[in-house]
């Protein structure tokens, strides 16, 4: 008769071990409350969903941005053309300035030569 009690005791011991494992794996009331406090409520999820953009809205934003980028690129190309024109004008102005400077230099030399010639004539007439 000792064998059935032995089997019962073994099974009881196994059950106690399983109960201990279950207790170790189970969450306490406080842990459940903490989890519950950290979880979003249905209303919060609905609010988040309402504030999120749809794929269609994102695609619309992307399309608008693409148009904006195209306009910016066009403006850059136009500005580039204007800058090149300004550079050409500046180069022409520099060439004109250099030409005018050479003319002024030449006129100054002629003026000095004429003054010297007039001075020589005055001296020749007096002497």
């Amino acid at each position: 008769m000792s064998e059935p009690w032995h089997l019962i005791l073994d099974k009881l011991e196994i059950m106690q071990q399983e109960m201990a494992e279950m207790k170790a794996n189970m969450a306490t009331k406080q842990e459940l409350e903490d989890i519950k406090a950290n979880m979003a409520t249905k209303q919060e999820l609905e609010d988040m969903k309402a504030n999120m953009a749809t794929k269609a809205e994102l695609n619309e934003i992307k399309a608008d941005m693409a148009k904006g980028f195209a306009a910016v690129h066009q403006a850059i190309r136009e500005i580039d053309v204007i800058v090149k024109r300004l550079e050409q004008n500046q180069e022409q102005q520099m060439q004109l300035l250099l030409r005018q400077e050479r003319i002024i230099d030449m006129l100054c030399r002629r003026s000095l030569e004429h003054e010297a010639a007039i001075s020589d004539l005055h001296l020749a007439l007096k002497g």
Side-chain angles (χ1 to χ4, degrees), residues 98-117:
L98 288 173
R99 184 171 176 260
Q100 288 174 345
E101 194 175 289
R102 285 192 304 268
I103 290 171
I104 290 171
D105 187 49
M106 184 183 69
L107 290 173
C108 283
R109 273 187 269 128
R110 281 187 186 170
S111 178
L112 289 174
E113 287 172 3
H114 288 191
E115 282 183 32

Side-chain angles (χ1 to χ4, degrees), residues 46-60:
E46 289 298 322
D47 291 345
M48 283 186 231
K49 188 176 177 183
N51 289 330
M52 290 176 64
T54 64
K55 279 189 177 184
E57 291 170 328
L58 290 176
N59 287 335
E60 186 179 326

Side-chain angles (χ1 to χ4, degrees), residues 12-56:
L12 185 59
E13 189 177 315
I14 291 171
M15 286 176 68
Q16 284 177 338
Q17 287 175 348
E18 288 175 355
M19 286 280 278
E21 287 176 14
M22 285 173 53
K23 280 184 181 178
N25 291 331
M26 287 179 63
T28 65
K29 269 189 171 184
Q30 183 60 45
E31 290 171 329
L32 288 175
E33 288 299 319
D34 291 346
I35 291 170
K36 191 175 178 182
N38 289 329
M39 288 178 61
T41 65
K42 192 172 186 178
Q43 182 60 45
E44 290 171 331
L45 291 175
E46 289 298 322
D47 291 345
M48 283 186 231
K49 188 176 177 183
N51 289 330
M52 290 176 64
T54 64
K55 279 189 177 184

Side-chain angles (χ1 to χ4, degrees), residues 113-125:
E113 287 172 3
H114 288 191
E115 282 183 32
I118 291 172
S119 180
D120 286 344
L121 271 174
H122 277 297
L123 285 176
L125 289 175

Side-chain angles (χ1 to χ4, degrees), residues 51-91:
N51 289 330
M52 290 176 64
T54 64
K55 279 189 177 184
E57 291 170 328
L58 290 176
N59 287 335
E60 186 179 326
I61 291 169
K62 271 174 81 174
D64 288 344
M65 287 178 70
K67 288 177 192 173
F69 286 138
V72 168
H73 286 293
Q74 179 62 32
I76 288 171
R77 285 190 291 272
E78 290 172 7
I79 289 170
D80 190 43
V81 168
I82 292 168
V83 167
K84 285 181 182 176
R85 257 191 259 138
L86 288 172
E87 287 173 345
Q88 288 173 347
N89 286 344
Q90 185 179 17
E91 182 61 32

